[in-house]
Amino acid sequence: MKSLTTDRLILREWQESDFAAVHDYAKVLENVRFMPFGPNSEEETKAFLVRSIARYADDPMIDYTYAVTIRETGQVIGGCSLTILRKQEASLGWILHRNHWRKGYGTELAGALIRFGFSELKLHRIFASCIADNYGSYRVMERSHMRREAHFIKNRFQRGAWQDEFIYAILQEEWEMMK
């Protein structure tokens, strides 16, 4: 799988040696409170890495999952993925360590995945979802030129309660018009 590079980031394959960095954000509730997992035990983080690394052998590949690293230092600051769900459609997802929030990295990685999805994978539509209270996530989607397509009321059961969910998307033709 090819790495993706932006001005400040490199999105690359996961490695077993990424464990400490992944567990550093996956074990903290504040970091994962809007995610469907966590806080992780060490075993859960190890299992995530094993599953992610194993997916690189899939043929055809449907889950492009990346470690998000700082280009200048190689430091792992999060993870992201583009997952093909049905013909020419994929979902976008990410998590960043809380120490790297509000620095534009989310928008930068989302742009790289969207570009990869439309340019290389020839996708028709890319979408992402988040809990409606997750302001940081939906702002990344908006800054990535995705449009809100839906607001589902109490659609996602998470952390013991029903949560509202937003769905954002962008079509290949919309992305082409912005280039």
Side-chain angles (χ1 to χ4, degrees):
M1 185 171 80
K2 147 183 164 180
S3 294
L4 306 177
T5 304
T6 70
D7 290 342
R8 301 179 298 159
L9 303 173
I10 295 176
L11 311 182
R12 60 149 172 87
E13 290 185 1
W14 287 108
Q15 303 165 359
E16 287 182 25
S17 59
D18 295 329
F19 170 79
V22 175
H23 196 59
D24 193 43
Y25 64 77
K27 70 181 180 182
V28 179
L29 178 60
E30 179 189 3
N31 220 85
V32 299
R33 71 184 178 132
F34 294 117
M35 305 304 282
F37 66 86
N40 279 8
S41 66
E42 288 188 4
E43 293 75 28
E44 290 166 324
T45 299
K46 287 176 189 169
F48 161 77
L49 282 171
V50 167
R51 277 191 317 273
S52 296
I53 292 167
R55 288 184 181 133
Y56 299 134
D58 291 351
D59 187 20
M61 185 174 279
I62 59 168
D63 192 8
Y64 296 83
T65 181
Y66 296 94
V68 178
T69 67
I70 302 286
R71 187 174 180 175
E72 196 171 282
T73 65
Q75 177 189 7
V76 174
I77 63 167
C80 63
S81 65
L82 189 65
T83 304
I84 300 171
L85 300 174
R86 45 192 164 264
K87 184 177 173 85
Q88 295 185 294
E89 183 178 40
S91 70
L92 173 66
W94 64 89
I95 183 169
L96 291 172
H97 190 292
R98 66 182 185 233
N99 293 348
H100 298 282
W101 293 351
R102 294 179 212 65
K103 296 180 181 180
Y105 293 136
T107 303
E108 203 167 317
L109 73 85
L113 289 173
I114 290 168
R115 186 171 41 261
F116 172 69
F118 290 137
S119 295
E120 309 255 340
L121 301 179
K122 306 301 182 200
L123 296 173
H124 165 69
R125 179 175 182 268
I126 296 172
F127 71 94
S129 67
C130 70
I131 289 177
D133 290 341
N134 190 346
Y135 175 80
S137 232
Y138 72 75
R139 284 299 294 148
V140 165
M141 294 178 222
E142 291 169 351
R143 284 191 296 269
S144 299
H145 306 287
M146 300 175 86
R147 77 192 123 56
R148 187 180 299 172
E149 289 190 336
H151 178 174
F152 294 112
I153 309 300
K154 295 187 178 183
N155 187 56
R156 194 190 286 190
F157 192 77
Q158 204 162 308
R159 309 260 178 242
W162 287 101
Q163 306 288 330
D164 286 10
E165 181 179 27
F166 289 151
I167 306 291
Y168 281 76
I170 185 169
L171 298 173
Q172 190 273 338
E173 60 208 44
E174 294 169 324
W175 178 77
E176 283 289 335
M177 289 178 13
M178 290 182 291
K179 290 192 328 181

